[in-house]
Amino acid sequence: MSSRPIIVVGSGIAGLWAALHAAPAPVLILTAGAFGRQSATEWAQGGIAAALGDDDDPGQHAADTVAAGAGLVDPDVARRLAAGSIDQVRALERLGVGFEHFADGRWALSREAAHGRARIARVGGDRAGTAIIDALIRAVERADHVTVREHAPVTGLLPAAGDGCAGVVVDAGGDRRESLSARATVLATGGLGGLYALTTNPPGNQGQGVAWAARLGAVVRDAEFVQFHPTAIDIGRNPAPLATEALRGEGAVLIDRRGKRFMPALHPDAELAPRDVVARAVHRQVQSGEGAYLDAREAVGASFPESFQAVFRACMAASIDPRREPIPVAPAAHYHMGGIAADLDGRTGVRGLFAVGEVSCTGAHGANRLASNSLAEALVMGARAGQALASAAGGSLRSAEPERSVVLSQPSLERLRAAMSAHAGVERDEKGLAALLGIIEELERKEGLADALVAARLIAVAALERRESRGAHFRTDYPESAAEARSSRLTLDGACRDRAERITGSPRS
Ligand code: SIN
């Protein structure tokens, strides 16, 4: 067996869980910043979806997942996710995560949109993310088989001679690049909210993992499906703090600037309608000038400081007291349902390359992720990928020369973000998406094929090609869903070809 380690890129929940489950194989975790401290996991408020209640079972959880995904969830993946998340939550509890229980020992669960039951295992109201990351950091520090290298930004993947992935390339400071060979490489780089003008993600999450894998020929599935969280707190901050959906689960309502609720007229489940429905409603309220506010005065009121500490702190820092006044909200890019096509063990179509968590697309989320299913998927997949890697023999692949990486300048990144929000945001149409592709192409000519441009292009092309509305992908020029639901699959070559055809109108070969 090769002595080369398994390299895990990223230190959110999926990467750390995969690393822990790969024992006794040696694992090297590479993280761009401080260990575990720049991941979207740490910012998660809601918790983990798992059928832990007496009135619930994995079948109902899977059915809700399939229904929310608007025809694109793989029912078998949903079943395995729902069945697996129960054990994963219990495993985290054994590691010391203080999930909430009632005095009689039953789980205290939150209800979130489009879940038929209260099903979210939570910690201290809205502090699940911090509690989970703290426990995982402690576990990794105790694990002999894992080494962590902090402040080691990966700039790309090391191609294998022939095809496949042989490891990663790390920025070693100055102009120096260091090639690290791996027995297998696991991408756990998170999502791409940083491609948008307003996001709830760490802004450095710009789809790098998707871009790196696409450069090696990986298939990117359902790239057009970007979920916008309807209730990011609108206080002029980017990344925007979240007002967790659990607040709506507690009874908080959405109102316009005159105090009138607008959701009951739009969906029978009102504020607990699927996330894409609520995001579009909030978007339209904001665009029309009617405004959107989350009113938790009655539902949460005086208990706010204890029951939703993170939201309370963010509001108070902006001089909004949510016990006494409604919280201004706007949709913000939150989660990428699409990603590198992978199975539930994280295997991609590229030899030697695995992808886990948000960077991957297993078919668990379809066109619209059910709230709090992301941490559930990260745990189920992370455990399975780690176990698959632990038992897999295999030496590392011989490496070939890596491409030179290009980093987009700040002004170009800002231009891209504005264009993504305007044209590939909550609502899209052909004219806007074609304009976006034109901007991407112009930036590419000016600066080269930067990772952010690769990821943006995959989204734009897939959105342009999907001439229907489904889940989080809403085309104002094609507002209906097609009769048949189909996943999209793109390679980088395909996305380049499609883009050229779209813009020049030249026929497909
Ligand atoms: C939330 O707490 O509203 C976010 C949970 C999620 O995105 O799954």
Side-chain angles (χ1 to χ4, degrees):
M1 188 181 292
S2 161
S3 61
R4 299 240 157 93
I6 295 161
I7 291 183
V8 174
V9 188
S11 59
I13 186 171
L16 299 188
W17 208 229
L20 288 167
H21 283 79
V27 176
L28 171 63
I29 296 176
L30 298 172
T31 157
F35 179 40
R37 293 302 176 201
Q38 282 173 354
S39 69
T41 305
E42 199 185 9
W43 296 5
Q45 292 183 355
I48 305 173
L52 292 155
D54 295 342
D55 60 347
D56 204 1
D57 59 65
Q60 296 185 59
H61 181 185
D64 288 344
T65 300
V66 169
L72 291 183
V73 168
D74 177 334
D76 185 49
V77 171
R79 264 193 303 277
R80 287 189 285 159
L81 172 71
S85 70
I86 296 173
D87 284 347
Q88 298 302 330
V89 171
R90 294 189 196 282
L92 276 187
E93 192 166 49
R94 286 194 296 276
L95 275 188
V97 178
F99 291 107
E100 290 178 48
H101 291 266
F102 295 114
D104 61 5
R106 281 177 307 121
W107 290 82
L109 303 165
S110 308
R111 174 117 188 242
E112 290 186 346
H115 285 276
R117 296 279 181 277
R119 183 180 286 144
I120 318 303
R122 61 177 194 233
V123 184
D126 59 8
R127 286 181 293 125
T130 324
I132 291 167
I133 279 294
D134 286 349
L136 291 179
I137 288 175
R138 287 194 301 273
V140 167
E141 284 168 353
R142 287 193 301 269
D144 292 337
H145 69 290
V146 186
T147 307
V148 178
R149 190 163 149 193
E150 296 181 290
H151 308 290
V154 169
T155 61
L157 298 175
L158 190 59
D163 65 61
C165 174
V168 301
V169 181
V170 172
D171 180 348
D175 270 348
R176 286 184 314 117
R177 297 280 179 271
E178 189 183 346
S179 294
L180 299 178
S181 300
R183 143 186 179 177
T185 302
V186 181
L187 292 178
T189 48
L192 43 71
L195 292 177
Y196 285 84
L198 190 66
T199 180
T200 61
N201 296 176
N205 287 14
Q206 294 162 14
Q208 293 87 340
V210 166
W212 300 336
R215 288 180 198 278
L216 290 195
V219 171
V220 178
R221 178 172 169 187
D222 292 338
E224 64 275 38
F225 294 106
V226 178
Q227 184 168 71
F228 292 82
H229 197 291
T231 57
I233 305 176
D234 189 14
I235 44 175
R237 268 176 60 189
N238 186 43
L242 202 62
T244 174
E245 205 160 273
L247 284 162
R248 281 176 276 139
E250 289 291 306
V253 291
L254 284 160
I255 56 174
D256 65 16
R257 62 188 162 78
R258 281 183 292 272
K260 185 170 179 300
R261 282 177 73 188
F262 51 84
M263 282 311 301
L266 299 175
H267 196 279
D269 292 335
E271 282 81 2
L272 291 179
R275 196 171 273 186
D276 62 303
V277 175
V278 185
R280 272 193 300 283
V282 170
H283 172 75
R284 287 173 186 168
Q285 287 291 124
V286 172
Q287 294 292 309
S288 70
E290 288 298 310
Y293 300 85
L294 186 66
D295 187 354
R297 288 175 293 185
E298 214 177 298
V300 183
S303 74
F304 223 121
E306 299 81 49
S307 37
F308 291 95
Q309 283 184 27
V311 181
F312 185 71
R313 266 203 314 272
C315 289
M316 294 302 275
S319 306
I320 296 162
D321 184 342
R323 292 169 298 191
R324 298 192 177 84
E325 56 196 313
I327 307 166
V329 292
H334 183 61
Y335 188 87
H336 192 208
M337 270 80 69
I340 306 162
D343 66 16
L344 254 192
D345 292 341
R347 269 187 209 90
T348 72
V350 176
R351 267 196 318 156
L353 184 65
F354 286 66
V356 292
E358 187 174 352
V359 72
S360 69
C361 179
T362 60
H365 308 305
N368 186 35
R369 178 183 60 98
L370 195 59
S372 293
N373 261 358
S374 41
L375 296 186
E377 186 197 37
L379 288 169
V380 171
M381 259 191 114
R384 290 177 60 117
Q387 283 154 359
L389 285 162
S391 55
S396 52
L397 301 170
R398 207 156 46 80
S399 60
E401 195 55 32
E403 278 180 48
R404 264 202 84 71
S405 64
V406 178
V407 178
L408 210 52
S409 67
Q410 198 57 31
S412 293
L413 181 60
E414 293 311 329
R415 183 152 178 238
L416 177 68
R417 284 177 168 152
M420 287 291 286
S421 286
H423 303 308
V426 177
E427 297 187 310
R428 297 120 185 235
D429 66 16
E430 179 162 317
K431 192 160 161 254
L433 288 164
L436 170 63
L437 280 170
I439 291 168
I440 292 170
E441 187 171 62
E442 189 190 318
L443 294 175
E444 198 183 294
R445 276 196 304 268
K446 196 165 128 205
E447 306 217 7
L449 195 56
D451 292 331
L453 296 175
V454 170
R457 180 178 4 181
L458 287 160
I459 295 170
V461 169
L464 202 44
E465 293 287 308
R466 188 175 286 281
R467 293 184 194 84
E468 62 158 349
S469 291
R470 184 175 296 279
H473 169 77
F474 190 83
R475 289 274 303 248
T476 52
D477 46 353
Y478 294 96
E480 302 301 326
S481 296
E484 196 187 342
R486 283 173 188 241
S487 270
S488 69
R489 288 169 192 272
L490 269 180
T491 59
L492 184 52
D493 277 357
C496 291
R497 208 167 45 236
D498 287 346
R499 173 192 51 141
E501 285 161 15
R502 280 278 145 206
I503 290 170
T504 62
S506 55
R508 274 177 184 224
S509 54

